[in-house]
């Protein structure tokens, strides 16, 4: 029951301490339901601001099942029944006005039903009219009658936070019953990625074209499935409701019963299919050049097979960084104190001011606002340390970015060093060192730690600035200043572009560090000018190979995602009874899809680093050597033939355009 169990709200709403040794009315073991004295007050905006309903709340054994006012119950046989909904320890030694003023008992009991262990009014509709019991209005206990719609609004606001909590609990339940199947799906994704890489080693050209065709077929099946679901729902009741009219629903399965949902999926997949086909048509010649580079990368990876396992090292180190950041953030966010604030429905000027629950009944505030209550609001503080917590959290985030970027930089330098040793070996693989990956890892830690830390620092500064801009943008959303919004959008766009550029420059600088061992600034400058001198080759090869690797990731993710969809929706007859029952089958499916992408990205990132390293080594080889016996090329004959031919064709085309 969350925060409700340790205390109840007594006079003026002051929380009373929970005593586990006391066996009287304060003991809540057999009182599983939370009862609101006046649920209408839950419609107050304070519910949204403080996530606290501004009315006394107690734990009760069962929800009220009859309509009673305190005034009527006091002079009848129902008073003993009524007293169980008063604060624990209530004694009938006050007048009616004093009891209601001090909040010792609710002014009125309304027939209620338990929902998520809360007592909500048992409201039902009869011929389109909302009713509680047989009444459309109710007496509020103060001599006036109110409409049932007031109860509805209060119940909605009180239930708002509960829906979010229930959604989280259902998702957690789905994970508890499907976690091992999720792991099996991720193992399948890992096996597919490894198999794809091994086949790429021996059948690079065939595998690339098979990958392209399979991606087109997978997307085509997705379009076909969406169309079939769209057609099946034609004529079904409620399927033509628009997404806008439906609004946000915590049960996401509702959206799958709408034709508009499947139409949106079909349009998105169709656009993606058309874009990929058009890119393949216009890049068909460049794909042949990229395939040659991938073949060479496959040979390099084949000689340094342990490089495929290095992403596990990076993953482990990143987990340590995340654990450090998360634990520090939790310690900072929980180093707070309980903050109590004044709640009052009347026009009290002290509402939302902080208060002390121990001294509130005898304080000035209690006398100025007789109906006010001192209730728990949130955890926080107002000391100098608490005001500095935001700055400490930002510094913690900055350190996380710095460490994470350092780990990624270490991985890039290590892989680049291993693949560069392959390229610059004149007789491959005889001139390769015994353990190229471990040698590159040792060199990176021994000689290049400062360069890696400096490059990671530059990127971390840009990333933390982007985080601060996002934070300011969230704080300024309520402002109507169009100039401020435009300025913020421009700044966010500029720093996004800057981050992408620095990542690209850092990646190539780390390759130059692995090749020559120079410092970060020198390596970044040399890499930048080397790329500028070979800008045509960069445009042809770098982006085309990235596109092909993206198709490979989509193939693996799409295949595993379709398999997970059919399994968790009980559409595979062989294992139909094996799949666990779920609240939301999209929870494990999305987890498998995201996990599969991360696994595939880990394997393909090795290939991507290999291609970038070989390409930069190729450009450097062309400038340092001329292919003569005195200065022979270090590239393989197959790579030399197709790359030099491709670059010559691009050069002629560029001259013709000029």
């Amino acid at each position: 029951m969350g925060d409700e169990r340790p205390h109840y709200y007594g006079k003026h709403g002051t929380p009373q301490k929970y005593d586990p040794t006391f066996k009287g009315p304060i003991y809540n073991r057999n009182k599983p339901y939370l009862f609101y004295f006046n649920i209408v007050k839950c419609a107050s905006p304070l519910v949204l601001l403080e996530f606290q309903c501004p009315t006394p709340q107690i734990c009760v054994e069962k929800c009220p099942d009859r309509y009673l006012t305190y005034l009527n119950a006091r002079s009848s046989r129902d008073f003993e029944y009524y007293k169980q909904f008063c604060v624990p320890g209530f004694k009938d030694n006050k007048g009616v006005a004093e009891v209601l003023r001090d909040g010792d008992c609710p002014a009125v009991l309304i027939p209620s039903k338990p929902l998520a262990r809360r007592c909500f009014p048992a409201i039902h509709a009869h011929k389109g009219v909302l009713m509680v019991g047989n009444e459309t209005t109710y007496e509020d206990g103060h001599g006036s009658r109110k409409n049932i719609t007031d109860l509805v609004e209060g119940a909605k606001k009180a239930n708002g936070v509960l829906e979010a909590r229930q959604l989280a609990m259902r998702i957690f339940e789905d994970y508890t019953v499907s976690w091992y199947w999720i792991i099996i799906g991720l193992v399948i994704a890992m096996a597919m990625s490894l198999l794809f890489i091994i086949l790429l080693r021996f059948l690079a050209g065939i595998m690339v074209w098979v990958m392209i065709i399979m991606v087109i077929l997978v997307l085509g099946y997705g379009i076909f499935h969406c169309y079939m679901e769209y057609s099946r729902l034609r004529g079904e009741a409620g399927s033509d409701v628009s997404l806008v009219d439906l609004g946000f629903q915590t049960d996401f399965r509702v959206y799958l019963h709408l034709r508009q949902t499947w139409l949106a999926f079909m349009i998105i997949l169709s656009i993606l299919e058309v874009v990929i086909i058009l890119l393949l048509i216009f890049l068909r010649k460049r794909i042949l050049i990229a395939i040659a580079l991938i073949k060479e990368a496959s040979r390099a990876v084949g000689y340094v097979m342990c490089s495929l396992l290095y992403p596990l090292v990076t993953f482990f180190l990143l987990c340590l960084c995340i654990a450090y950041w998360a634990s520090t953030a939790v310690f900072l966010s929980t180093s707070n104190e309980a903050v109590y604030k004044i709640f009052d429905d009347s026009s009290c000027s002290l509402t939302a001011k902080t208060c002390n629950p121990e001294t509130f009944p005898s304080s000035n505030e209690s006398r100025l606002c007789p109906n006010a209550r001192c209730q728990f609001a949130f955890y926080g503080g107002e000391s100098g340390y608490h005001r500095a917590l935001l700055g400490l959290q930002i510094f913690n985030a900055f350190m996380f970015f710095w460490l994470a970027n350092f780990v990624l930089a270490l991985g890039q330098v290590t892989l680049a060093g291993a693949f560069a040793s392959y390229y610059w070996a004149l007789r491959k693989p005889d001139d390769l060192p015994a353990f190229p990956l471990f040698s590159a890892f040792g060199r990176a830690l021994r000689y290049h730690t400062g360069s890696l830390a400096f490059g990671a620092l530059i990127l971390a500064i840009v990333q933390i600035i982007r985080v601060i801009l996002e934070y300011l943008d969230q704080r300024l959303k309520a402002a109507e200043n169009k100039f401020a919004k435009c300025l913020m959008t421009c700044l966010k766009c500029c720093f996004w572009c800057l981050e992408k550029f620095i990542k690209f420059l850092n990646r190539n600088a780390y390759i130059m560090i692995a090749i020559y061992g120079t410092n970060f600034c020198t390596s970044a400058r040399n890499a930048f000018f080397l790329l500028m001198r070979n800008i045509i080759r960069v445009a042809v090869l770098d982006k085309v190979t990235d596109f092909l690797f993206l198709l490979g990731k989509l193939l693996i993710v799409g295949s595993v995602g379709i398999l997970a969809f059919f399994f968790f929706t009980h559409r595979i007859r062989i294992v139909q009874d094996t799949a666990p029952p779920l609240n939301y089958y999209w929870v494990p499916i999305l987890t498998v899809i995201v996990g599969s992408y991360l696994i595939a990205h880990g394997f393909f990132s090795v290939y991507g680093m290999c291609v970038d390293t070989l390409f930069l080594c190729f450009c450097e080889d062309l400038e340092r050597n001329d292919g003569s016996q005195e200065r022979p090329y270090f590239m393989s004959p197959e790579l030399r033939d197709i790359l030099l031919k491709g670059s010559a064709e691009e050069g002629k085309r560029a001259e013709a355009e000029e």
Side-chain angles (χ1 to χ4, degrees), residues 175-232:
Y175 277 124
T176 58
V177 298
S178 63
W179 63 270
Y180 44 91
W181 294 110
I182 293 175
I183 292 177
I184 291 173
L186 297 180
V187 170
I188 293 174
M190 185 179 295
M192 286 185 63
S193 301
L194 188 59
L195 179 64
F196 194 90
I197 295 297
I198 293 173
L199 291 176
L200 209 59
R201 165 71 177 88
F202 302 101
L203 305 167
I206 296 174
M207 285 300 298
V208 168
W209 287 112
V210 168
M211 172 182 66
I212 293 171
I213 294 171
M214 287 297 294
V215 168
I216 294 174
L217 291 178
V218 168
L219 289 175
Y221 173 78
I223 296 169
F224 171 75
H225 180 78
C226 292
Y227 175 76
M228 293 302 294
E229 291 291 334
Y230 178 77
S231 301
R232 183 180 63 82

Side-chain angles (χ1 to χ4, degrees), residues 234-251:
R234 182 182 289 120
E236 284 196 14
S239 63
D240 292 325
V241 178
S242 69
L243 293 171
V244 177
D245 294 337
L246 182 63
F248 176 74
Q249 301 292 326
T250 55
D251 189 352

Side-chain angles (χ1 to χ4, degrees), residues 17 24 194 279 455 529 568:
K17 298 295 183 182
L194 188 59
L279 286 174
F529 287 114
F568 287 113

Side-chain angles (χ1 to χ4, degrees), residues 398-599:
F398 169 74
M399 289 303 300
F400 167 71
F401 286 135
W402 194 1
L403 287 174
N405 288 323
F406 178 83
V407 168
L408 295 175
L410 178 62
Q412 290 174 350
V413 168
T414 300
L415 292 173
F419 296 131
S421 64
Y422 162 82
Y423 184 92
W424 296 110
L426 190 58
R427 295 187 302 275
K428 303 174 177 62
D430 298 333
D431 292 344
L432 272 173
F435 302 101
L437 188 70
F438 293 107
S439 301
F441 185 75
R443 288 196 304 271
L445 286 179
R446 183 176 180 182
Y447 299 111
H448 308 310
T449 306
S451 296
L452 302 183
F454 184 67
L457 174 65
I458 295 173
L459 188 55
I461 291 173
V462 175
Q463 288 173 335
I464 200 64
I465 291 174
R466 288 193 63 202
V467 170
I468 294 172
L469 288 175
E470 288 290 343
Y471 173 75
L472 293 176
D473 188 38
Q474 293 297 322
R475 295 295 297 268
L476 294 174
K477 270 189 175 178
E480 297 297 329
N481 192 327
K482 293 184 179 180
F483 174 76
K485 289 182 179 180
C486 178
L487 180 63
M488 189 61 65
T489 304
C490 292
L491 286 173
K492 286 166 63 177
C493 179
C494 291
F495 277 95
W496 179 84
C497 295
L498 180 61
E499 182 185 355
K500 292 297 181 184
F501 174 74
I502 290 177
K503 281 184 177 179
F504 174 77
L505 188 61
N506 280 10
R507 184 182 179 90
N508 290 283
Y510 296 146
I511 295 174
M512 297 300 283
I513 289 173
I515 296 173
Y516 291 109
T518 52
N519 61 52
F520 177 81
C521 294
T522 303
S523 300
R525 184 185 67 247
N526 293 340
F528 178 75
F529 287 114
L530 180 63
L531 292 172
M532 288 300 101
R533 290 193 296 271
N534 296 271
I535 189 64
I536 296 178
R537 294 191 183 102
V538 173
V540 171
L541 294 177
D542 189 52
K543 296 308 173 187
V544 174
T545 51
D546 287 347
F547 173 66
L548 293 178
F549 288 147
L550 176 63
L551 292 184
K553 296 175 193 175
L554 290 178
L555 175 61
I556 294 170
V557 172
S559 302
V560 177
I562 289 174
L563 180 63
F565 174 78
F566 279 102
F567 176 77
F568 287 113
T569 54
H570 305 271
R571 300 192 184 190
I572 303 177
R573 292 186 178 180
I574 302 175
V575 290
Q576 195 169 21
D577 298 330
T578 309
L582 300 167
N583 295 308
Y584 309 115
Y585 64 78
W586 53 265
V587 171
I589 293 174
L590 283 181
T591 305
V592 169
I593 289 175
V594 173
S596 300
Y597 178 81
L598 293 176
I599 290 171

Side-chain angles (χ1 to χ4, degrees), residues 34-36 39 42 63-64 110-123 151 154-160 162 166:
L34 183 69
F35 172 70
Y36 299 93
I39 200 169
C42 294
C63 297
I110 295 171
S112 304
K113 291 182 179 179
L115 175 64
R117 298 201 173 191
R118 270 77 175 167
C119 294
F120 290 109
I123 300 171
L151 290 176
K156 281 182 180 178
K157 291 290 178 68
N159 200 37
L162 293 180
Q166 287 173 356

